[in-house]
Amino acid sequence: QQQVKQSPQSLIVQKGGISIINCAYENTAFDYFPWYQQFPGKGPALLIAIRPDVSEKKEGRFTISFNKSAKQFSLHIMDSQPGDSATYFCAATRAGGTSYGKLTFGQGTILTVHP
Amino acid sequence: AAGVIQSPRHLIKEKRETATLKCYPIPRHDTVYWYQQGPGQDPQFLISFYEKMQSDKGSIPDRFSAQQFSDYHSELNMSSLELGDSALYFCASSPRGRANNEQFFGPGTRLTVL
């Protein structure tokens, strides 16, 4: 059972547009939600992360919106560029206990930004 | 800045052979995680170590074992390899003391089992 559900599977955006990727989680014990960017054949790279005590976090063109009551969070990429074309994974984890740090990933979104 | 180092980067093995993957975490990171990523799949957690002790275990086959050494590097040992073990294997490290538990991934080892 996928504990973190991500949508859409693929996304095509024009250069300069806004890319939006959504994730929903089930385990209310999760308390740290990172987003990773992965290029083919490379390791996932941490983009931005949020904790549930804030509803939004912005770093440059990347913004995470977090809705704790709905157990949903999303990544917004403003002014999308062709270089942003990659696979994006949302993830979740919780601190403490026996599962400290283990990341549970969403299924991934393949983003293509057309010039 | 120093990153996570994994070796080898590519590995080709025959069925029923053994393989050893190595991971060198970022300096002063004491926690190591191993993930397996199949083609078109999301990374799946295998096992983690904190201060040389196993801290968590995921969907890791009994044919696999791992350990973390005194210098904090980790090795993933895979025996009786099967075709389905072909995947990208990532190691990630984090400094456990940090509240946000940021994990930094290495470039991965691509294992191909023929």
Side-chain angles (χ1 to χ4, degrees):
Chain A
Q1 185 180 8
Q2 193 79 23
Q3 288 197 54
V4 179
K5 296 182 179 179
Q6 183 172 344
S7 64
Q9 275 190 307
S10 61
L11 180 62
I12 298 174
V13 174
Q14 290 297 124
K15 178 182 175 182
I18 303 174
S19 304
I20 301 174
I21 304 171
N22 301 299
C23 282
Y25 63 97
E26 298 177 1
N27 189 344
T28 55
F30 288 146
D31 62 0
Y32 176 68
F33 302 88
W35 283 89
Y36 283 85
Q37 178 190 57
Q38 186 177 31
F39 293 102
K42 305 294 185 183
L46 179 63
L47 261 183
I48 185 173
I50 197 168
R51 296 183 67 87
D53 51 347
V54 297
S55 60
E56 186 174 284
K57 183 176 181 181
K58 183 176 181 179
E59 289 184 2
R61 298 186 293 111
F62 301 94
T63 300
I64 300 178
S65 297
F66 189 86
N67 185 329
K68 187 175 181 178
S69 61
K71 294 189 288 185
Q72 294 176 348
F73 58 110
S74 60
L75 175 69
H76 295 232
I77 305 174
M78 313 299 288
D79 188 26
S80 299
Q81 300 296 312
D84 296 331
S85 298
T87 300
Y88 291 80
F89 290 98
C90 63
T93 187
R94 67 182 182 99
T98 58
S99 297
Y100 186 91
K102 172 180 75 174
L103 287 171
T104 299
F105 285 88
Q107 299 95 319
T109 296
I110 300 172
L111 172 66
T112 303
V113 181
H114 286 316
Chain B
V4 176
I5 298 172
Q6 289 188 248
S7 67
R9 294 294 312 279
H10 302 272
L11 192 56
I12 299 175
K13 291 286 185 179
E14 299 279 342
K15 278 174 52 178
R16 291 179 288 276
E17 286 191 322
T18 62
T20 298
L21 279 54
K22 297 185 178 182
C23 169
Y24 298 86
I26 293 171
R28 292 179 295 283
H29 284 196
D30 52 13
T31 305
V32 167
Y33 308 83
W34 286 96
Y35 294 86
Q36 178 191 57
Q37 185 177 30
Q41 304 293 314
D42 56 287
Q44 294 291 315
F45 171 75
L46 292 177
I47 196 167
S48 62
F49 293 87
Y50 166 64
E51 282 292 345
K52 292 150 280 185
M53 298 288 290
Q54 179 183 308
S55 57
D56 199 1
K57 196 172 182 179
S59 49
I60 182 170
D62 292 340
R63 301 178 287 109
F64 294 7
S65 65
Q67 57 181 323
Q68 186 179 31
F69 295 86
S70 58
D71 63 351
Y72 296 104
H73 94 272
S74 178
E75 294 184 3
L76 177 66
N77 299 293
M78 310 160 70
S79 63
S80 302
L81 287 169
E82 301 174 356
L83 296 178
D85 296 329
S86 295
L88 269 169
Y89 290 83
F90 291 106
C91 169
S93 73
S94 73
R96 184 160 176 151
R98 294 185 62 172
N100 285 338
N101 189 46
E102 295 174 338
Q103 288 186 34
F104 298 88
F105 282 73
T109 293
R110 181 176 295 279
L111 173 65
T112 302
V113 181
L114 302 176

